[in-house]
Amino acid sequence: MDSRDQIHISVRTLVEFILRGGSIDNRRKVSPENAMQEGSRIHRMIQRKMGAEYQAEVPLKLVVAYDEFDILIDGRADGIISEQNGQVTVDEIKGIYKDLAYLKEPYEVHLSQAKCYAYIYAKDHNCNEIRVRMTYCNIDTEEIKYFHFCYTYEALSHWFKRIMDEYRKWAEFERDWKNARRESIRRLAFPFPYRKGQKELASQVYRTIYHGKRLFIEAPTGAGKTLSTVFPAVKAVGEGLADKLFYLTAKTITGTVASEAFSILRKAGLSYKTVSITAKEKVCFMEETECNPLACVYADGHYDRINDAIFDLLTSEDEYSRETICKYAEKHKVCPFEMCLDLTLFADAVICDYNYVFDPNVYLRRFFSEGVRGDYLFLVDEAHNLVERGREMYSAVLYKEQFLEMKRKVKGISSILEKAIDACNSKMLKLKRECGEFCVFESIESFASALARAAAKMDKWLEEDENSAVHREVFEFYMEIRHFLSIYECLDSNYVIYGEMTEEKTFKLKLFCVHPAANLRACTDKGKSTVFFSATLLPVRYYMNLLSGEETDYAVYAESSFDERNRGVFIGTDVSSRYTRRGPMEYYNIASYIHCITRVRRGNYMVFFPSHGFMRAVYEVYCEYFSEKQVDILMQETSMSERAREEFLGHFQSSAFSEHIDEDALRELIHMEIEVEEEKSLVGFCVMGGIFSEGIDLKNDSLIGAVVVGTGFPQVCHERELLKDYFDSHGLNGFDYAYCFPGMNKVLQSAGRVIRTAQDRGIVVLLDERFMENRYRRLFPREWNNICYISAESAALHVQEFWGV
């Protein structure tokens, strides 16, 4: 690193952070913000229409020197217009949904961004005077509105100096903190003795970051995945290979485990600030989440107080958990959610849901604006979940009945809206008649055009009639339409458009993202390196294809540190979950298996089924024929509150933790003595892919057996068949991609609930004759070496041999 420290900030971040004012508004992200794809389209459209004197996408940067450090400000001007007479104009383009008739002046943050570019350009080119043109374009109508300004270099210089004077204390804080961080990382050692394969895994992660690549890790339980990825990533930050970590999770509990890992490293001497993003609804102080100053005292004047609140927290704490953020937000009377988002600018690691990086509606624009690649590392935990989450995020759906309902709501309130919505409904009706029960559409251009016109009318009405009784309902529907139109702009060969009649007899129109890799890769390309990891990333090529699609990505299978003699793996050869076999006799056979297996040794067992209906059928047979006083029976309900989930798990142990934290690390944090009532057993009936099949950590005697019934195949439906056909047409095995691989992932996740530490002993029993087939055995983890094939008659005997009873 240079002898002088340098703090880097983008023009956009600088003006958004310093030039605050007003109050939070629940439409703030609709009008001022560029839509991700459509805003880019507008930029390109306008730039192509400009003449030879127009230079598009001009990179600009400026170093502001202070006594002990420098601040590097950079960005990219949308356009620079250099006329023959020497006059220079900086063009700033913004694509917005707002009706331009209501735009009387530029948004302050937009104009300030352009003024920064103007100042930097004028300084570099010795311009005494420079112009700024704010170009606003309505995304729907492509109507353009200009605002023109002219500034002297002297005026811009004074203005820019005031901006930098306000930012200086933040830069000084960042300089001092990063120096402390760098020194702490230099001294940091791995906090525990490396277990088998863990050092090699950490080395692979570091090498991947060094080369700026993507890595896929299949790491069985006990490999210490969390610390093995976080530690080398932190070390890479210390070496200047990156500046900020994003630890991405699918579930809150997994984020908690990541926070615990950073806490362990802090105890080992690391200086590192982490922030955990909590959903707005969970962190809001108000009974009803309504982000406007009339309804929320924390929104009213939020921006007048937020910088003091953030500086107070930054200089007082290093871990910004939900509880800590709420404490300081209450102290300073600011919105805790907005405060949390602002803290991401200063945190060294951001722990958050996948949405904040990948979702086109939710992603953190302050980091991932299009065209910007940052010094970021992405650590994607439970990466097997990202396939379906990715499809969900990049798909969009509308129902015909939504238009009928909205038409009824606006009737008598706005005839213009009623007419626009009715036009969409008519187009939907036509599609419905063409479709029948199900069909794939080649084009829905006519409907999309009507939808865009309706969206423009709704935007105008929302601007004009903010006090209407149906304003909120219209706004929520408007946002759904916006998402649909945004995804429509992204349609390519990775999408299928289909319509179907649902079980509720409603007509659904969906833009279905069958292959999410391109969209996900575009997001990870905005960072330096990405590590995907999971205990069930099998087959790894399947996940590499769907999450990245790049053949040059790295992959590694981490070794298990557990003694395989502590795990008994059994396959029932005379039972099946096939639909053709389901009935009273097969339910009895499965219940009999469960009885024989669980009676050998008293303890806690979980039995996983492919569906609630199947589970309930076997549960009823089990209770009728095999119920014993020595056995307590639980069953997962279709929808369980958080309290009900905790009570369910409470029967197994006093606390449940996710698998991802290094066990030695958790032992440092949590000392639990668990007494198991060995004279009784507990059998929990659960659903594969549900809330108890992953993300919980039942150690020691908390769980000694997992019985998995069936191959976990998703139910046959139109979407699954579309996936099958798509991958068949691309030279892959469509059945594997649509059914086998997703199903086996659920099986392995369920089986992974047992054997959590090196001291644990337990059994995994797979009840379906299909598990004998090579199609399924090839997907078993490497460490499943000693598989025992059993029948209903021999099950008890073989399980007795394992337990030694």
Side-chain angles (χ1 to χ4, degrees):
M1 192 168 182
D2 296 338
S3 58
R4 283 179 63 83
D5 293 321
Q6 187 174 86
I7 302 302
H8 170 249
I9 189 169
S10 69
V11 167
R12 177 173 178 165
T13 301
L14 176 68
V15 298
E16 286 185 351
F17 188 74
I18 296 299
L19 297 174
R20 299 180 184 274
S23 304
I24 301 172
D25 185 279
N26 64 354
R27 297 197 63 223
R28 186 166 61 91
K29 292 185 179 178
V30 179
S31 294
E33 288 288 346
N34 285 29
M36 181 177 69
Q37 297 290 339
E38 294 171 330
S40 301
R41 175 181 63 82
I42 291 297
H43 275 64
R44 293 189 293 270
M45 178 195 74
I46 293 174
Q47 289 165 343
R48 283 196 297 267
K49 292 180 179 179
M50 296 297 106
E53 71 278 5
Y54 192 97
Q55 185 180 0
E57 302 298 329
V58 180
L60 296 169
K61 67 178 180 180
L62 173 68
V63 175
V64 178
Y66 292 96
D67 292 340
E68 298 178 350
F69 65 96
D70 298 333
I71 301 177
L72 170 64
I73 305 106
D74 64 4
R76 189 181 297 270
D78 293 328
I80 301 292
I81 305 169
S82 301
E83 300 178 29
Q84 292 184 353
N85 62 5
Q87 182 64 58
V88 176
T89 301
V90 173
D91 189 28
E92 183 67 17
I93 303 169
K94 298 296 179 184
I96 63 175
Y97 292 120
K98 186 183 181 109
D99 187 335
L100 297 185
Y102 296 94
L103 187 64
K104 303 304 181 184
E105 60 184 12
Y107 290 99
E108 181 185 12
V109 67
H110 294 164
L111 180 58
S112 296
Q113 191 175 342
K115 287 169 69 175
C116 282
Y117 293 139
Y119 170 74
I120 295 172
Y121 188 93
K123 183 177 178 63
D124 285 347
H125 294 81
N126 297 315
C127 301
N128 293 323
E129 183 180 274
I130 192 167
R131 295 179 181 179
V132 167
R133 184 176 78 182
M134 291 302 306
T135 302
Y136 283 96
C137 181
N138 183 280
I139 291 173
D140 293 318
T141 65
E142 297 184 0
E143 176 189 358
I144 294 175
K145 189 170 188 175
Y146 297 109
F147 296 94
H148 297 273
F149 303 89
C150 184
Y151 301 100
T152 65
Y153 173 75
E154 183 180 9
L156 284 176
S157 180
H158 287 303
W159 174 84
F160 189 77
K161 184 178 182 303
R162 290 198 303 272
I163 297 292
M164 296 308 298
D165 286 346
E166 287 189 53
Y167 180 65
R168 180 172 179 174
K169 79 167 185 176
W170 301 92
E172 288 175 344
F173 168 80
E174 187 174 354
R175 183 271 314 268
D176 293 342
W177 174 255
K178 286 190 174 180
N179 285 339
R181 182 185 74 178
R182 184 170 61 250
E183 182 58 25
S184 75
I185 295 174
R186 186 185 64 80
R187 298 192 305 265
L188 184 67
F190 197 76
F192 305 104
Y194 283 109
R195 59 181 61 172
K196 181 182 177 181
Q198 197 171 25
K199 188 172 184 178
E200 290 75 16
L201 179 57
S203 297
Q204 288 274 13
V205 172
Y206 185 87
R207 283 194 290 270
T208 299
I209 294 171
Y210 181 83
H211 292 292
K213 305 287 284 185
R214 279 178 288 263
L215 172 65
F216 290 78
I217 301 174
E218 158 68 23
T221 301
K225 296 182 289 295
T226 304
L227 277 177
S228 296
T229 52
V230 168
F231 177 77
V234 167
K235 280 291 189 181
V237 170
E239 294 296 325
L241 299 177
D243 186 58
K244 191 182 294 287
L245 304 183
F246 287 87
Y247 193 104
L248 309 176
T249 72
K251 293 181 172 65
T252 301
I253 184 65
T254 318
T256 302
V257 171
S259 297
E260 290 167 350
F262 282 108
S263 294
I264 291 165
L265 294 179
R266 274 192 285 265
K267 288 183 179 180
L270 176 66
S271 295
Y272 222 72
K273 294 185 179 294
T274 59
V275 59
S276 298
I277 301 181
T278 306
K280 181 188 291 187
E281 292 74 18
K282 292 184 178 181
V283 79
C284 181
F285 291 141
M286 309 300 289
E287 290 186 9
E288 185 175 353
T289 303
E290 188 173 349
C291 301
N292 71 70
L294 297 178
C296 177
V297 296
Y298 301 93
D300 187 17
H302 166 90
Y303 290 119
D304 298 329
R305 301 184 293 269
I306 185 60
N307 282 3
D308 289 340
I310 290 175
F311 200 77
D312 183 15
L313 180 51
L314 286 176
T315 53
S316 304
E317 311 276 356
D318 289 346
E319 182 179 359
Y320 311 134
S321 64
R322 171 180 174 176
E323 294 75 21
T324 301
I325 291 170
C326 286
K327 174 185 172 183
Y328 280 80
E330 182 64 64
K331 175 183 176 181
H332 290 273
K333 292 292 183 288
V334 296
C335 171
F337 181 70
E338 292 290 334
M339 183 180 188
C340 179
L341 294 182
D342 282 339
L343 284 166
T344 62
L345 293 170
F346 299 94
D348 305 302
V350 180
I351 302 168
C352 60
D353 188 271
Y354 298 155
N355 291 344
Y356 293 98
V357 171
F358 297 111
D359 194 309
N361 293 319
V362 183
Y363 77 101
L364 297 170
R365 285 169 172 79
R366 62 196 71 197
F367 299 112
F368 308 123
S369 297
E370 189 163 339
V372 177
R373 189 184 188 204
D375 294 331
Y376 313 134
L377 301 179
F378 302 122
L379 305 181
V380 186
D381 200 352
E382 295 282 24
H384 62 274
N385 286 306
L386 188 55
V387 173
E388 291 304 324
R389 285 285 298 276
R391 286 190 177 123
E392 179 185 339
M393 287 186 285
Y394 296 106
S395 297
V397 62
L398 288 172
Y399 296 87
K400 180 182 179 299
E401 285 66 25
Q402 289 177 286
F403 293 91
L404 286 174
E405 178 65 21
M406 190 53 58
K407 179 184 173 182
R408 284 193 291 268
K409 286 184 180 294
V410 301
K411 188 174 183 179
I413 295 176
S414 171
S415 59
I416 294 176
L417 274 192
E418 183 183 359
K419 182 178 179 180
I421 293 170
D422 185 56
C424 295
N425 181 61
S426 297
K427 298 293 184 181
M428 281 282 264
L429 179 60
K430 183 179 179 182
L431 293 173
K432 176 182 176 180
R433 288 170 175 166
E434 291 177 14
C435 180
E437 289 298 313
F438 172 81
C439 75
V440 173
F441 294 108
E442 291 297 322
S443 173
I444 56 166
E445 184 177 353
S446 179
F447 170 71
S449 297
L451 197 63
R453 290 191 292 271
K457 301 295 184 184
M458 293 170 77
D459 185 85
K460 183 177 181 180
W461 181 86
L462 288 166
E463 191 75 34
E464 293 176 339
D465 203 348
E466 294 186 351
N467 297 319
S468 170
V470 297
H471 187 277
R472 185 162 190 162
E473 292 94 328
V474 173
F475 172 72
E476 290 172 354
F477 186 46
Y478 169 79
M479 294 303 292
E480 287 191 59
I481 290 174
R482 279 291 163 217
H483 175 63
F484 191 95
L485 289 171
S486 179
I487 296 298
Y488 181 76
E489 291 292 327
C490 302
L491 293 184
D492 58 16
S493 61
N494 296 310
Y495 280 82
V496 172
I497 308 172
Y498 77 84
E500 72 172 349
M501 293 299 298
T502 68
E503 292 181 357
E504 295 78 22
K505 301 302 179 183
T506 61
F507 178 67
K508 177 173 76 173
L509 181 65
K510 186 165 184 177
L511 311 178
F512 182 35
C513 179
V514 294
H515 198 322
N519 289 324
L520 296 173
R521 186 174 64 248
C523 296
T524 58
D525 282 346
K526 292 176 182 177
K528 289 294 184 67
S529 181
T530 302
V531 179
F532 299 95
F533 54 103
S534 170
T536 57
L537 216 57
L538 292 174
V540 70
R541 287 291 168 188
Y542 163 76
Y543 289 100
M544 292 175 73
N545 183 17
L546 292 183
L547 298 180
S548 165
E550 290 289 327
E551 294 184 359
T552 57
D553 291 343
Y554 301 157
V556 62
Y557 195 114
E559 292 186 66
S560 173
S561 61
F562 292 168
D563 187 341
E564 65 182 53
R565 292 172 297 181
N566 287 342
R567 179 195 296 107
V569 181
F570 304 89
I571 295 178
T573 60
D574 55 352
V575 69
S576 177
S577 66
R578 294 178 188 271
Y579 287 100
T580 55
R581 292 267 294 272
R582 293 185 187 182
M585 181 58 70
E586 204 67 15
Y587 297 152
Y588 180 89
N589 292 339
I590 293 169
S592 177
Y593 257 109
I594 297 169
H595 175 65
C596 292
I597 291 163
T598 57
R599 74 181 304 188
V600 171
R601 177 176 176 178
R602 299 299 181 190
N604 297 342
Y605 297 84
M606 280 188 172
V607 187
F608 296 94
F609 295 86
S611 69
H612 282 276
F614 195 168
M615 174 186 67
R616 193 171 294 107
V618 176
Y619 171 83
E620 290 173 356
V621 173
Y622 183 85
C623 291
E624 181 178 356
Y625 293 100
F626 301 105
S627 178
E628 297 177 341
K629 291 182 179 180
Q630 294 83 7
V631 180
D632 292 331
I633 309 170
L634 299 174
M635 185 175 69
Q636 176 184 340
E637 300 298 332
T638 52
S639 59
M640 300 178 73
S641 66
E642 189 170 340
R643 181 176 179 179
R645 298 177 193 179
E646 292 173 356
E647 289 177 353
F648 188 97
L649 289 175
H651 288 282
F652 289 87
Q653 68 171 46
S654 57
S655 299
F657 297 91
S658 174
E659 69 188 48
H660 303 280
I661 194 72
D662 181 275
E663 277 79 11
D664 292 330
L666 269 181
R667 206 167 290 117
E668 289 285 314
L669 295 173
I670 305 163
H671 301 280
M672 291 191 302
E673 294 293 334
I674 302 172
E675 285 190 18
V676 177
E677 242 182 6
E678 296 194 359
E679 68 273 12
K680 294 196 71 175
S681 285
L682 173 64
V683 180
F685 284 66
C686 306
V687 177
M688 272 188 274
I691 53 180
F692 301 120
S693 65
E694 62 177 286
I696 61 170
D697 203 19
L698 299 170
K699 296 180 182 176
N700 304 319
D701 288 334
S702 299
L703 191 70
I704 65 170
V707 181
V708 184
V709 181
T711 55
F713 279 12
Q715 189 171 5
V716 176
C717 64
H718 293 135
E719 280 199 357
R720 286 290 139 186
E721 289 300 295
L722 287 175
L723 291 173
K724 178 180 177 297
D725 293 344
Y726 174 89
F727 289 106
D728 276 339
S729 69
H730 285 73
L732 298 165
N733 188 315
F735 180 81
D736 282 349
Y737 269 66
Y739 295 102
C740 187
F741 295 159
M744 281 302 295
N745 186 272
K746 292 179 182 179
V747 169
L748 298 179
Q749 279 291 327
S750 300
R753 295 316 94 208
V754 74
I755 308 290
R756 312 298 300 170
T757 73
Q759 292 74 38
D760 290 358
R761 293 195 77 216
I763 59 173
V764 173
V765 183
L766 307 181
L767 296 183
D768 198 303
E769 60 190 15
R770 286 175 287 179
F771 287 121
M772 294 188 293
E773 299 174 16
N774 183 61
R775 161 174 277 173
Y776 304 99
R777 287 191 293 110
R778 66 193 169 103
L779 301 176
F780 288 172
R782 292 180 187 176
E783 56 271 18
W784 286 11
N785 291 318
N786 300 316
I787 298 175
C788 179
Y789 295 92
I790 60 177
S791 65
E793 290 184 359
S794 67
L797 178 62
H798 287 294
V799 173
Q800 284 174 357
E801 289 178 355
F802 172 80
W803 289 118
V805 296

